[in-house]
Amino acid sequence: MRIAINTGGGDAPGLNAVIRAVVLSALNQGWEVFGIRNGYEGLLSGEGVTPLTRADVRGITHLGGTILGTTNRGNPLEWPCPRPDGTVEIRDRSGDIARAFEELDLDALIAIGGDGSLRIASALADKGIPVVGVPKTIDNDLAATQVTFGFHTAVEVATDAIGRLHSTAEAHQRVMVVELMGRHAGWIALFAGVAGTADVILIPEIPYSMDSVCQKVEARYANGAGFAIVVVAEGAYPVGGKPFFQDPGGAGRNARLGGIGEVVAHEIAERTGRETRSLALGHLQRGGSPVAYDRLLALRFGAAAVDLVKERCFGCMVALDPPDVHAVPLAEAVERIKTVPVEGDVVRTARALGISFGD
Ligand code: F6P
């Protein structure tokens, strides 16, 4: 067998561990493995496909990022092709992918990605390309798998940051607002907010009211705590409002959330008169070494993906269904995203502890 592997979409801690598991599991059964550079770009340019050896994947389990490179722009189904007059034509280049695949005499592709990349993988599988998907995203918003690798690392980083913010909040009797990632789902904000003992957690699943947020902040001062920590998921929005974008996207650009933390901080300061500061943790949540849980999950996903190729179970994705890793159809896996259940146990735990969701 000659198999290829790529990483698409935003990076997540654990990508290199998947690559290592795929390469070693495949080489150990006498297969050849090729890495495609930068999502699908390597296949389309013809220059970005290289054999992967044991030496290439030595010592990478603990490394963040991806040795293959990634992009969240290169969708081969909607590829921007500049015309001579300066305008851009959007083309479906899946045929070119299929041709490159044949020319390289490849038998299967293992595509590691989040919802966008897995949607592409699903469409390529529909067009006859033998694909196996591996789910990744720090957002943990893929419905078909109990958890994605990268999520626990992001929660760890965010929890640590919330802990550090407590020092300054307490020392200065301030309100500290921290904006965390999570495009459509508030998993990181919820988990890190509860673990880090925030006072207010705002997530996209529960639209907030500033009256309620400020009431909680004031209660913290009234009960003698003298400071407050507010965690805001980047996709959170007020009742009757909309998420806050840095860039609404369009013309080939992805929409980019961000800035809601500063908006919330400004309103808290205005309404309560309390000294308030905000920061967005941003890509710090995606970088660095994966925690042990994410390394292990990533290694399991990589080995399981090779098993699926061996069984010729194409058009499928590996998914964690404790205690095992199973195959789920890609089409089903990308059908819907997984949001935080608002009546779920973690939200209930938070409420029991007196944490406000601003509702
Ligand atoms: O989906 C992962 C994620 O980190 C989101 O939480 C965030 O909104 C987005 O990617 C940021 O993407 P970029 O790195 O392109 O700004």
Side-chain angles (χ1 to χ4, degrees), residues 72 137-139 181-183 234 256-257 283 286:
N72 46 16
T137 167
I138 64 161
D139 293 355
M181 279 186 168
R183 235 178 317 182
E234 62 181 355
R256 208 144 51 83
L257 284 157
H283 293 84
R286 274 195 357 214

Side-chain angles (χ1 to χ4, degrees), residues 203-230:
I203 57 177
E205 293 84 350
I206 307 177
Y208 63 84
S209 105
M210 274 319 292
D211 286 347
S212 161
V213 171
C214 292
Q215 234 170 47
K216 177 67 192 182
V217 167
E218 283 301 5
R220 289 278 300 165
Y221 286 86
N223 74 14
F227 70 94
I229 303 284
V230 178

Side-chain angles (χ1 to χ4, degrees), residues 7-16 19 63-72 112-114 117 136-139 149-151 153-154 181 183 188 282-289:
T7 48
D11 65 330
L15 284 171
N16 283 322
I19 296 168
L63 298 182
T66 158
I67 60 165
L68 295 176
T70 187
T71 172
N72 46 16
I112 316 171
S117 309
K136 77 76 236 194
T137 167
I138 64 161
D139 293 355
F149 63 86
F151 171 63
T153 305
M181 279 186 168
R183 235 178 317 182
I188 300 174
H283 293 84
L284 285 176
Q285 294 157 95
R286 274 195 357 214
S289 192

Side-chain angles (χ1 to χ4, degrees), residues 332-353:
E332 209 176 279
V334 298
E335 235 166 44
R336 63 188 178 89
I337 62 159
K338 177 179 67 192
T339 52
V340 169
V342 296
E343 300 298 337
D345 133 78
V346 186
V347 172
R348 282 189 282 117
T349 301
R351 290 196 194 277
L353 293 169

